[in-house]
Amino acid sequence: MTPAEEFEELRPLLFSIAYRILSSVSEAEDAVQETWLRYAAAPAPPRSARAFLSAVVTRISIDVLRSARHRREQYVGPWFPEPLLTDPYEDPERSAELADSLSMAALLLLERLSPLERAVFVLREVFGFGFPEVASAVGRSEAACRQLAVRARRHMEAGRPRFEADRGEREELAERFFEAFREGDVDGLRGLLAADVHLIGDGGGKAPQWSKGILGARNVARVLAAFLPPFVRIGGVAEPQEVNGRPGAVLRDRDGKVLNAWTLDILDGRIQTIRTVLNPDKLRHVGPVADPWAVAREVNRARRSAP
């Protein structure tokens, strides 16, 4: 197998590592490309391409994350990860860890960790690397990596919900939610929402957003039911789709351009959190992006003209 073939075989793993460290599709893709350049420039083939490439992409991702953290602190409004529709890496033996680590909620918990803690957690807990490989990747001793892993696990476990719905329950509840959403059924929506449900959007100052969020089943149901019928009248579509391994949807304008991406957090048989990513910069990898301000104006006009 040539170096290029080895790299392509490992590309899904490298992207998945980088995405979980960076929470950004574009930055993860750049990190993988830089990893290839370093691999191609290596004077001799490494003993293990997997170990070498995983270490390189991890180090690059740590460096990128350190510089990105300051930008995220200056971000306008809530900051969410770039939505990922499909994880290219599959491992049946670690499918549960891979799926759990991909959710918006888990990625936001990872944001609380230091870059080193995050990298160690991703390599060890998500992908199952041994501590010798983890230590080599992050440039720390095995003992230090064990301590980092313990701290990271403690932070992650403290923030996880106690009772999360299983996959079948999530999908069934999401199907009912989007059906009520399409119908503008306020009562139907309200019955699926937790009493303290939170609807919140990431527009980054580049799209209309619920920057402070909307709280409570009654308020959220009214907002959603008021938005959807005029959105449908102007040709908009809510396309149910798995987003970051959880039920969600991609909303598109009449031309099929991407307006935003939604994810649903489901807990105790109810929808607990609805996150929407509206920042066009975070949606370009999904497809051509709509003008969110123009769509908002059309929705408002359609609402005012409704009988």
Side-chain angles (χ1 to χ4, degrees), residues 178-198:
F178 285 112
E179 182 178 352
F181 186 46
R182 285 189 292 270
E183 298 293 328
D185 179 359
V186 180
D187 291 334
L189 286 167
R190 188 185 305 145
L192 301 173
L193 303 174
D196 58 348
V197 63
H198 193 191

Side-chain angles (χ1 to χ4, degrees), residues 11 66 77 79 91 97 111 142 154 167 174 233 273:
R11 182 187 288 272
R66 284 173 174 151
W79 180 93
D91 181 350
E97 292 87 350
E111 283 293 307
E142 288 186 42
R154 187 182 302 128
R167 184 183 183 92
R233 281 199 296 276
T273 308

Side-chain angles (χ1 to χ4, degrees), residues 3 39 42-47:
Y39 185 49
R47 188 182 315 172

Side-chain angles (χ1 to χ4, degrees), residues 12-18 20-21 50 87 89 91 94 97-98 101 119 121-130:
L13 170 64
L14 303 179
F15 173 85
S16 295
I17 291 171
R20 285 165 174 81
I21 295 175
R50 182 178 185 272
D87 186 5
Y89 180 70
D91 181 350
R94 305 199 64 81
E97 292 87 350
L98 290 169
S101 65
F121 183 87
V122 167
L123 292 176
R124 175 63 183 171
E125 302 298 324
V126 178
F127 292 95
F129 281 73

